[in-house]
Amino acid sequence: MTLLFMLTVCLSFLALLATPSFATNQANSCRSYCGNITIDYPFSLDYGCGHPGFRDLLFCMNDVLMFHISSGSYRVLDIDYAYQALTLHDPHMSTCDTIVLGGRGNGFTVEQWRASYFNPTPDNVFMLIGCSAESPLFQGFPGKHLPCRNVSGMGCEEYYDCPAWSLIGHKKVGSVYGSGPPECCAVAFEAIKAINLSKLQCEGYSSAYSLAPLRVDGAGGWSYGIRVKYSVQGNDEFCRACEATGGACGFGTDGVNQLCMCGSFNSTTNCDSESSTSSKMTLSLAVALAASLETRHIQLHVNATFVLAYTTTLFA
């Protein structure tokens, strides 16, 4: 009876080990919020969560979500997961109401290794203000072939009508390089690949984006900010499989290889495959233990029978 009880307890314990723990159901602990903005894959606030290409990127300070790259820190106004875009705000960026000079603006430049993950959207215009005649922006463009042009219907000609220009005394200058650079030069990010005010020798900048098909008349109705398109490089099947099995996507200590975090354990595939393997191993252990106990029980029974027969013979 004692042996049978021990066998029952052991099998029950091993069966409990084979059952996914409650912690596994908490695998989505990486997902979080900052203020009213949801933080989800590929982004994260904790190291080891999200996509490795998006690590050390977002920081939450007093419920304000900040985006940090080599050119500076920006406040995140929105993350559009469906369109895969972020809307950023630079406090030193000019708008229709304020012109900020002195080269204080961040512009937009990402680290080389991040360049494939982030790019301002094609309908985002950067308007560079007060650039010197020696600026690299104007080199190699003789005559009327300046890089300045409208982007998605937005450009400096309309921006000049903003009230902020009247406060700094807008001067009408020629748009031809030979008669002096324009006060404002509108460019697409793809045209110059980086908005660095120091290198471009510009005093300030503004950025606006268009959410097609909505069109507004005048720069006063533009959306000011930096609209950045993000993309996850490579095959994203790993993360979808991970999340489909209740896991959360993350990466290892090397900062490169992806992991599926399943609460009480990490997997290099998904939570089901690891649980299945673990269950099979536990079941095998249970069977082996049961067989061992059964063999022990039989051996004891045989030994007891032998002793009883020997004793009976001895005293017969």
Side-chain angles (χ1 to χ4, degrees), residues 26 31 34 54 69 86 123 143 146 157 162 175-176 179 182 188 207 268 274 276:
Q26 302 302 309
R31 298 182 179 89
C34 182
F54 292 69
I69 53 177
L86 302 96
D123 57 6
L146 289 175
E157 289 304 317
C162 284
S175 61
V176 179
S179 60
S207 176
T268 55
E274 289 289 334
S276 176

Short mmCIF file of all heavy atoms in Angstrom, two decimals, residues 26 31 34 54 69 86 123 143 146 157 162 175-176 179 182 188 207 268 274 276:
data_model
loop_
_atom_site.label_atom_id
_atom_site.label_comp_id
_atom_site.label_asym_id
_atom_site.label_seq_id
_atom_site.Cartn_x
_atom_site.Cartn_y
_atom_site.Cartn_z
N GLN A 26 1.85 34.63 -18.76
CA GLN A 26 2.23 36.01 -18.56
C GLN A 26 3.37 36.41 -19.49
O GLN A 26 4.12 37.33 -19.22
CB GLN A 26 2.66 36.23 -17.10
CG GLN A 26 1.59 35.86 -16.09
CD GLN A 26 0.31 36.64 -16.30
OE1 GLN A 26 0.34 37.85 -16.40
NE2 GLN A 26 -0.82 35.95 -16.35
N ARG A 31 5.10 43.72 -23.31
CA ARG A 31 4.22 44.77 -23.85
C ARG A 31 3.87 45.74 -22.73
O ARG A 31 3.65 45.35 -21.59
CB ARG A 31 2.95 44.17 -24.44
CG ARG A 31 3.22 43.23 -25.61
CD ARG A 31 1.92 42.70 -26.20
NE ARG A 31 2.17 41.84 -27.33
CZ ARG A 31 2.36 40.53 -27.25
NH1 ARG A 31 2.34 39.94 -26.07
NH2 ARG A 31 2.57 39.82 -28.33
N CYS A 34 3.26 53.76 -22.29
CA CYS A 34 3.89 54.96 -21.77
C CYS A 34 2.90 56.08 -21.99
O CYS A 34 2.62 56.46 -23.13
CB CYS A 34 5.20 55.25 -22.50
SG CYS A 34 6.06 56.71 -21.84
N PHE A 54 15.59 47.43 -32.81
CA PHE A 54 14.87 48.55 -32.20
C PHE A 54 15.24 48.72 -30.73
O PHE A 54 14.55 49.41 -29.98
CB PHE A 54 13.36 48.31 -32.33
CG PHE A 54 12.84 48.37 -33.73
CD1 PHE A 54 13.17 47.40 -34.66
CD2 PHE A 54 12.03 49.40 -34.14
CE1 PHE A 54 12.71 47.44 -35.96
CE2 PHE A 54 11.55 49.46 -35.45
CZ PHE A 54 11.89 48.48 -36.37
N ILE A 69 17.89 58.81 -31.08
CA ILE A 69 18.83 58.37 -32.11
C ILE A 69 20.04 59.31 -32.07
O ILE A 69 20.12 60.19 -31.21
CB ILE A 69 18.19 58.37 -33.52
CG1 ILE A 69 17.55 59.73 -33.83
CG2 ILE A 69 17.20 57.23 -33.65
CD1 ILE A 69 16.96 59.82 -35.23
N LEU A 86 5.91 56.26 -37.12
CA LEU A 86 5.92 57.05 -35.89
C LEU A 86 5.79 58.52 -36.25
O LEU A 86 6.29 58.96 -37.29
CB LEU A 86 7.23 56.88 -35.11
CG LEU A 86 7.69 55.52 -34.66
CD1 LEU A 86 8.68 54.95 -35.67
CD2 LEU A 86 8.37 55.63 -33.28
N ASP A 123 6.20 61.46 -48.09
CA ASP A 123 5.38 62.67 -48.08
C ASP A 123 5.75 63.61 -46.94
O ASP A 123 4.98 64.49 -46.56
CB ASP A 123 3.89 62.31 -48.00
CG ASP A 123 3.56 61.44 -46.79
OD1 ASP A 123 4.45 61.22 -45.95
OD2 ASP A 123 2.40 61.00 -46.68
N GLY A 143 23.60 77.36 -61.36
CA GLY A 143 22.43 77.99 -62.01
C GLY A 143 21.15 77.73 -61.25
O GLY A 143 21.08 77.86 -60.04
N LEU A 146 18.86 73.97 -58.23
CA LEU A 146 18.93 73.79 -56.78
C LEU A 146 18.19 72.52 -56.38
O LEU A 146 17.26 72.09 -57.06
CB LEU A 146 18.32 74.99 -56.07
CG LEU A 146 19.11 76.30 -56.12
CD1 LEU A 146 18.30 77.40 -55.47
CD2 LEU A 146 20.44 76.15 -55.40
N GLU A 157 7.43 78.24 -50.66
CA GLU A 157 6.60 79.35 -51.13
C GLU A 157 5.36 79.50 -50.28
O GLU A 157 4.95 80.62 -49.94
CB GLU A 157 6.23 79.14 -52.60
CG GLU A 157 7.40 79.33 -53.57
CD GLU A 157 8.06 80.70 -53.40
OE1 GLU A 157 7.32 81.71 -53.28
OE2 GLU A 157 9.31 80.78 -53.39
N CYS A 162 3.41 81.97 -43.67
CA CYS A 162 3.13 81.77 -42.24
C CYS A 162 3.44 83.05 -41.45
O CYS A 162 4.37 83.79 -41.79
CB CYS A 162 3.98 80.63 -41.69
SG CYS A 162 3.40 78.99 -42.15
N SER A 175 16.02 82.87 -56.20
CA SER A 175 16.10 81.44 -55.99
C SER A 175 17.27 80.84 -56.75
O SER A 175 17.50 79.64 -56.72
CB SER A 175 14.80 80.76 -56.45
OG SER A 175 14.59 81.00 -57.82
N VAL A 176 18.04 81.69 -57.47
CA VAL A 176 19.19 81.20 -58.22
C VAL A 176 20.43 81.31 -57.34
O VAL A 176 20.66 82.32 -56.68
CB VAL A 176 19.36 82.01 -59.52
CG1 VAL A 176 20.58 81.50 -60.29
CG2 VAL A 176 18.11 81.92 -60.37
N SER A 179 22.71 84.47 -57.14
CA SER A 179 22.28 85.71 -56.49
C SER A 179 22.04 85.52 -55.00
O SER A 179 21.40 86.35 -54.36
CB SER A 179 21.00 86.22 -57.17
OG SER A 179 19.97 85.25 -57.06
N PRO A 182 18.43 80.80 -51.09
CA PRO A 182 17.11 81.16 -50.56
C PRO A 182 17.10 81.05 -49.04
O PRO A 182 17.90 80.32 -48.46
CB PRO A 182 16.18 80.15 -51.21
CG PRO A 182 17.05 78.96 -51.46
CD PRO A 182 18.40 79.51 -51.81
N ALA A 188 13.26 66.60 -49.84
CA ALA A 188 12.82 65.29 -49.34
C ALA A 188 14.01 64.62 -48.67
O ALA A 188 15.16 64.85 -49.04
CB ALA A 188 12.31 64.44 -50.50
N SER A 207 9.63 70.76 -40.39
CA SER A 207 9.24 69.50 -41.02
C SER A 207 7.73 69.37 -40.95
O SER A 207 7.11 69.64 -39.92
CB SER A 207 9.91 68.32 -40.29
OG SER A 207 9.47 67.10 -40.84
N THR A 268 13.87 29.11 -28.83
CA THR A 268 14.42 29.58 -30.10
C THR A 268 13.45 29.34 -31.25
O THR A 268 13.76 29.66 -32.39
CB THR A 268 15.75 28.86 -30.40
OG1 THR A 268 15.54 27.45 -30.37
CG2 THR A 268 16.81 29.24 -29.37
N GLU A 274 8.54 24.09 -27.39
CA GLU A 274 9.30 23.86 -26.16
C GLU A 274 8.46 23.13 -25.13
O GLU A 274 8.91 22.23 -24.45
CB GLU A 274 9.80 25.18 -25.58
CG GLU A 274 10.90 25.82 -26.39
CD GLU A 274 12.21 25.08 -26.28
OE1 GLU A 274 12.42 24.40 -25.25
OE2 GLU A 274 13.01 25.15 -27.21
N SER A 276 5.95 21.17 -25.76
CA SER A 276 5.77 19.80 -26.24
C SER A 276 6.99 18.96 -25.91
O SER A 276 6.88 17.84 -25.42
CB SER A 276 5.53 19.80 -27.75
OG SER A 276 5.45 18.48 -28.24
#
